[in-house]
Amino acid sequence: MRVTYDRLVCANCAAPVAEGRCRVCRASRERMDQGPFAGLNPAMLVALMVVLVAALALLAHQAA
Ligand SMILES: [Zn+2]
């Protein structure tokens, strides 16, 4: 799912973020262009990794 920022107004310059008038606008645009994983914070990713490793360990245990 892609967030549209056509109507988003920058808190810094009060212009539409899509126009990229200031540094804050461009940073916001870049953040939203990073894709589906941009919304995930690092802690969430670490938790996901832990779950994955645990699942693999469980599978390996059952296979043995
Ligand atoms: Zn701005």
Side-chain angles (χ1 to χ4, degrees):
M1 194 179 90
R2 203 183 146 83
V3 182
T4 55
Y5 47 86
D6 301 342
R7 289 156 207 271
L8 211 70
V9 172
C10 177
N12 189 52
C13 66
V17 169
E19 289 183 16
R21 285 193 190 177
C22 75
R23 210 158 43 87
V24 176
C25 292
R26 286 190 286 272
S28 302
R29 278 205 311 187
E30 265 174 41
R31 215 169 35 239
M32 283 187 255
D33 283 340
Q34 278 171 357
F37 293 107
L40 289 175
N41 58 39
M44 190 81 171
L45 286 173
V46 169
L48 253 166
M49 283 294 288
V50 169
V51 169
L52 256 171
V53 169
L56 276 173
L58 204 72
L59 275 173
H61 182 73
Q62 282 177 345

